[in-house]
Amino acid sequence: MDFDLPDTALAVREGVAAVAAKYEHAYWSRCEEEHRFPQEVFDDLGAGGWFGLCVPEEYGGGGQGLLELAVANMTLCASGGVAGTFFYVTTPGFGAMTLTRHGTEEQKQRILPGLADGSLQFCLALTEPDAGSNAIEIKTQARRDPSTGSGDAADFLIKGQKVWISNVENADWMVAVTRTIPAAETKEHGLPRTAGFTLFLVDVKEALAAGTLSYTPIPKMGSNILHSSQVFLDDVRVPAENVIGEVDAGFAVLWDVLNPERILAASGGVGTADAALRIASDYARERVVFGRPIGANQGLQFPLAQIKAKTELGRLMTYQAAWLFDQGRPCGNEANVAKLTGAQVGWEAANQAFQTLGGMAYSKEYPVERIFRDARIAKNIPVAEELVLAHIGTAMLGLPKSY
């Protein structure tokens, strides 16, 4: 059993750390205050190939895997740019990883080079206002347009509404999750609940120009370096060659979207914990009250030590889940445990950093208030903590389902 990271992952950690070191906490806080996309760091990471790690070499990428992506994301977040986890979840996760595994050769040639050099961005459109976390019940429908051809050659028209879609304003492409067989019909015909899903590549800029796609940003508490939006699809036209995988059999593809998303979210949580612990520890060493550094007080020292231990456990679980995915082995259980652990320890670290800095944590002079706001959402997305616990209870412990 070998717990050493491969040389590829170590090189990624070093390379991303060198880029991230150019952007201090003040940079990320300024982008957050201005609700501005951190274009400078995004361009730097893209130019270095740090988004194209999992793109095969023949398309200009690094030919590596999810483990290297997780290490890259963890490193970026540990530098203080904790909301930067959206960079890795949206474009390499939703885009490069999905197309590398499930794209056609034409799709790969058309899109992967732009993902490898950082010139293209992605978003995922899954969640809906009425369905919430119950993806089975989504209603966004894709239907054939017979005026464009017959059979498998005909275009699709997508109609529906999505919510909490992150990065649509920057995205060139959207992975749109639709129903080509409504949920009610699958029940009526005795089909599996996961039948009738189809995933599409939607050209976002083309659909915006056509007026068939629109979005409204949702004012939110944190992570304002990019929007999270309501998205409206009003007969968005998609050519048949933009289907990802097979028509009506998209749920198999979706699992290969959701598991990497959870693993990358886990890596972001661990990186967030690293950043928060570093800030708290530095302050606790330097701040002297009652004649000694406050870090000598076990009331502050022990909680930080406890969180450090949990951070290392979360790191190992994230590495294991990513490694399993790269090996083509089942990783659903590990992805869920990693996501749960990463989200919890990121929030606990941010919360304890807040407590360590005392009243100064409330000041925007320090980055703790930003990290505190950004860390909290990870307990709710990309899957709510309660649903992860339900999976662990039923799938791993064999307990009965409540539904």
Side-chain angles (χ1 to χ4, degrees):
M1 187 176 290
D2 185 356
F3 285 95
D4 287 331
L5 283 175
D7 290 343
T8 51
L10 293 174
V12 166
R13 187 165 63 189
E14 182 179 348
V16 172
V19 173
K22 297 191 294 182
Y23 301 92
E24 298 179 347
H25 282 287
Y27 168 84
W28 291 98
S29 295
R30 189 166 58 252
C31 289
E32 173 69 16
E33 285 293 308
E34 297 172 358
H35 290 205
R36 182 175 73 83
F37 187 74
Q39 193 67 56
E40 297 85 0
V41 65
F42 187 90
D43 289 345
D44 267 4
L45 289 167
W50 305 119
F51 292 137
L53 294 167
C54 67
V55 174
E57 293 179 355
E58 59 264 37
Y59 305 103
Q64 296 166 26
L66 185 56
L67 176 61
E68 285 78 11
L69 280 182
V71 169
N73 185 39
M74 197 180 292
T75 305
L76 177 64
C77 291
S79 76
V82 298
T85 194
F86 282 98
F87 291 174
Y88 277 94
V89 169
T90 55
T91 295
F94 296 152
M97 187 66 67
T98 303
L99 288 182
T100 294
R101 287 211 164 196
H102 297 284
T104 65
E105 184 57 34
E106 186 276 332
Q107 290 169 355
K108 292 177 181 179
Q109 291 184 9
R110 178 161 40 118
I111 299 174
L112 285 182
L115 293 175
D117 65 19
S119 61
L120 293 179
Q121 294 196 49
F122 261 73
C123 66
L124 171 72
L126 171 59
T127 51
E128 297 183 6
D130 294 332
S133 297
N134 187 1
I136 297 295
E137 298 296 331
I138 67 168
K139 296 178 181 177
T140 296
Q141 182 183 10
R143 67 187 191 280
R144 294 277 189 180
D145 179 3
S147 69
T148 59
S150 60
D152 294 343
D155 291 351
F156 286 85
L157 297 174
I158 300 177
K159 192 173 188 66
Q161 183 179 346
K162 301 290 186 178
V163 71
W164 290 110
I165 307 309
S166 296
N167 203 46
V168 64
E169 74 279 9
N170 299 309
D172 300 278
W173 293 96
M174 169 189 290
V175 176
V177 184
T178 74
R179 274 280 191 184
T180 37
I181 302 175
E185 287 188 23
T186 63
K187 297 174 186 175
E188 181 182 336
H189 296 291
L191 297 172
R193 296 195 312 153
T194 55
F197 281 83
T198 305
L199 276 62
F200 293 92
L201 285 166
V202 173
D203 187 323
V204 174
K205 292 178 171 55
E206 181 180 274
L208 286 170
T212 55
L213 186 150
S214 60
Y215 64 90
T216 303
I218 301 168
K220 56 183 180 174
M221 173 179 164
S223 300
N224 285 298
I225 63 168
L226 44 68
H227 296 325
S228 296
S229 301
Q230 297 185 71
V231 174
F232 305 91
L233 304 110
D234 188 11
D235 285 345
V236 174
R237 183 173 298 280
V238 182
E241 59 264 27
N242 281 14
V243 171
I244 306 174
E246 298 181 18
V247 175
D248 296 336
F251 216 84
V253 179
L254 186 58
W255 278 125
D256 273 352
V257 177
L258 298 182
N259 280 328
E261 180 186 30
R262 293 175 189 188
I263 294 166
L264 289 170
S267 70
V270 172
T272 296
D274 286 335
L277 287 172
R278 183 175 298 113
I279 294 167
S281 297
D282 288 348
Y283 188 87
R285 282 191 297 270
E286 297 165 4
R287 174 69 167 156
V288 176
V289 180
F290 300 119
R292 64 181 179 185
I294 62 172
N297 299 320
Q298 292 176 348
L300 285 179
Q301 185 181 118
F302 284 7
L304 292 173
Q306 182 74 52
I307 293 166
K308 174 60 175 174
K310 292 182 180 179
T311 301
E312 297 311 313
L313 292 173
R315 197 184 319 276
L316 285 175
M317 198 70 230
T318 301
Y319 289 164
Q320 182 187 10
W323 181 84
L324 286 170
F325 182 86
D326 288 339
Q327 301 304 309
R329 293 166 60 178
C331 66
N333 291 341
E334 292 78 8
N336 276 285
V337 172
K339 192 275 170 186
L340 177 75
T341 307
Q344 287 182 343
V345 77
W347 166 245
E348 289 173 15
N351 191 43
Q352 191 59 39
F354 202 110
Q355 195 67 21
T356 301
L357 269 69
M360 292 309 298
Y362 213 66
S363 168
K364 289 185 180 291
E365 177 184 350
Y366 290 91
V368 173
E369 58 85 27
R370 169 177 56 83
I371 294 174
F372 183 86
R373 288 183 285 117
D374 286 348
R376 181 57 182 85
I377 190 58
K379 285 166 68 69
N380 295 79
I381 64 166
V383 59
E385 186 172 282
E386 292 79 6
L387 288 176
V388 175
L389 291 169
H391 172 87
I392 293 170
T394 56
M396 298 179 71
L397 296 177
L399 297 173
K401 293 185 177 182
S402 61
Y403 54 90

